[in-house]
């Protein structure tokens, strides 16, 4: 039987205001080729100057990955010719990257975990974009020179599941640190997947295939499964040597296959050499002091939520899975009288089920303060959970109304005044003396009947728990 071996290269676009080596803006959706200057157009004589913010963000990532931040690192030139790169080379860090020897822990559903080693994270410049439009191809250089961090893992993952857990964790760390948008569809979190197989128990690495630029977690999972199947079939058919070679393949989601993009013969000779136009990259003591102080990361936040809010593992994992959700939760909890348990349910179940299409936690019509207030009204028994669903439905459509106004308007205020509920209970008990006798005679099932009658008399506004308590004492 085979063991699967996976190593991942992730290109993260950093969310700096300006480009890596010039002061051009990095923002998207500008007119084509408008965010350009002599440096990122590679005009003769223009020289690059390193953007400090990129170094700061690299230190933050290195810290989060428990890695070594090299106090001195260097830039190298990787030569290749392609229309989207006007200089015909890419500036990257081959020999001494800014970040090395990190690790990242992935957690399995059964509570166990595994540490994936990270070989390096290096700074490099992104290329522009070629836009193919019928018979014409156009080049847009707005993206050329945008800063990337390429994070390279060791080949430590042994299933598609592990690869996805690794990517999701890394993705979440980037978002927690706020060093990149990490939007897969927009290409600010791009993944290259290296896959090989080997007979179980062997240590040696076999030939790897690299699958490029797959833009969703689901597709990555599928691409790995297909590639593993292709390689193991070749092995079983005795065709491994002939069919599996080190090459770049692409994943075709329509045909559900991976196919060769370029083989070893077509592989470029990058003629790497030290970049002569840049100084070495020096990380100062002051930078280390400042940028190793990073925000709380998902694992730490999860542990804190478990102890501070008495959450179970599962809920804590759900709520801390994204920084947006974790922040939303903590804003809700700032409201006095909100219980973590109710807040968790409304944030992880009720709200998401009402967010559709492009609407997410960030632009939700019901923000954290409002949802927190709604939960407060459930917890202080002003409204029932059932009524709260109606209130939330209403609030989703009417963003400028507040919670209490809505409760009032929809007539959903719950009666918690025990005097009023007691009177209703008396009324029901008096009107059903026969059933009271049967109940006292041992027909305990009738309890539900009494609760139902009182609830009905109150038109659903009585607090069910109070009704239960009062009926229990009156009937015993
Ligand atoms: P390149 O730039 O040629 O892709 P890198 O060293 O940047 O090379 O990346 C190699 C990636 O492939 C790393 O993530 C590494 O862990 C992974 N890798 C190396 N050998 C294997 C293998 N035999 N099977 C699977 N992954 C591998
Ligand atoms: Mg590669
Ligand atoms: Zn520029």
């Amino acid at each position: 039987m085979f063991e699967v071996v996976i190593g991942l290269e992730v290109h993260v676009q950093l969310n700096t205001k300006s480009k890596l080596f010039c002061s051009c803006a990095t923002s998207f959706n500008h007119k084509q080729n408008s965010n350009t200057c002599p440096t990122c157009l590679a005009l003769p004589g223009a020289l690059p100057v390193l953007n400090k913010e990129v170094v700061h963000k690299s230190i933050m990532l290195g810290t989060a990955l428990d890695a070594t931040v090299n106090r001195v690192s260097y830039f190298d030139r990787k030569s290749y010719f392609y229309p989207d790169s006007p200089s015909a080379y890419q500036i990257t860090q081959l020999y001494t990257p800014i970040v090395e020897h990190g690790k990242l822990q992935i957690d399995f559903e059964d509570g166990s975990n595994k540490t994936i080693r990270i070989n390096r994270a290096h700074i490099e410049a992104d290329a522009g974009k070629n836009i193919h439009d019928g018979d014409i191809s156009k080049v847009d250089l707005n993206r050329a020179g945008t800063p990337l961090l390429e994070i390279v893992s060791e080949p430590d993952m042994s299933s598609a599941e592990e690869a996805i857990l690794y990517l999701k964790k890394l993705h979440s760390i980037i978002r927690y640190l706020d060093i990149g948008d990490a939007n897969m569809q927009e290409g600010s979190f791009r993944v290259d997947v290296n896959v090989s197989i080997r007979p179980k128990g062997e240590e040696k690495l076999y030939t790897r295939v690299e699958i490029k630029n797959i833009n969703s977690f689901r597709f990555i999972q599928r691409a790995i499964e297909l590639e593993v199947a292709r390689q193991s079939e070749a092995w079983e058919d005795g065709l491994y040597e002939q069919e599996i070679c080190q090459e770049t393949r692409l994943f075709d989601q329509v045909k559900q296959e991976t196919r060769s993009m370029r083989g070893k013969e077509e592989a470029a000779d990058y003629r790497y050499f030290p970049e002569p136009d840049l100084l070495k990259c020096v990380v100062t003591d002051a930078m280390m002091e400042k940028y190793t102080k990073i925000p709380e990361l998902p694992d730490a936040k999860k542990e804190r939520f478990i102890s501070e809010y008495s959450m179970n593992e599962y809920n804590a994992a759900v709520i801390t899975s994204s920084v947006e959700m974790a922040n939303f939760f903590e804003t809700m909890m700032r409201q006095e009288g909100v219980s973590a348990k109710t807040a968790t349910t409304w944030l992880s179940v009720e709200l998401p089920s009402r967010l559709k299409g492009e609407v997410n936690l960030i632009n939700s019509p019901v923000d954290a303060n409002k949802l927190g207030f709604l939960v407060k009204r459930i917890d202080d028994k002003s409204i029932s959970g059932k009524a709260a669903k109606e209130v939330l439905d209403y609030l989703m459509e009417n963003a400028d109304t507040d919670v209490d106004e809505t409760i009032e308007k929809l007539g959903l205020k719950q009666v918690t005044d025990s005097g009023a509920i007691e009177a209703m209970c008396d009324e029901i008990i008096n009107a059903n003396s026969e059933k009271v006798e049967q109940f006292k005679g041992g027909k305990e099932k009738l309890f539900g009947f009494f609760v139902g009658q009182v609830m009905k008399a109150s038109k659903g506004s009585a607090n069910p728990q109070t009704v239960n308590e009062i009926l229990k004492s009156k009937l015993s």
Side-chain angles (χ1 to χ4, degrees), residues 9 11 150 192 194 208 210 212:
E9 294 160 82
H11 290 87
E150 176 173 349
D192 297 342
N194 295 273
R208 78 176 151 113
E210 178 169 1
K212 280 230 175 271

Side-chain angles (χ1 to χ4, degrees), residues 351 354-355 359 364-366 391-399:
L351 183 62
R354 289 167 173 79
L355 298 173
V359 187
S364 162
V366 174
V391 175
L392 186 54
D393 287 337
Y394 186 87
L395 291 172
M396 295 300 286
E397 301 297 325
N398 301 274

Side-chain angles (χ1 to χ4, degrees), residues 94-106:
L94 178 69
Y95 304 108
T96 314
I98 186 161
V99 168
E100 275 183 298
H101 314 308
K103 53 182 192 281
L104 187 145
Q105 183 182 305
I106 56 175

Side-chain angles (χ1 to χ4, degrees), residues 34-52:
S34 65
N35 294 342
T36 54
C37 73
T39 302
C40 56
L41 292 175
L43 299 184
L47 289 172
V49 177
L50 179 60
N51 180 346
K52 255 193 217 154

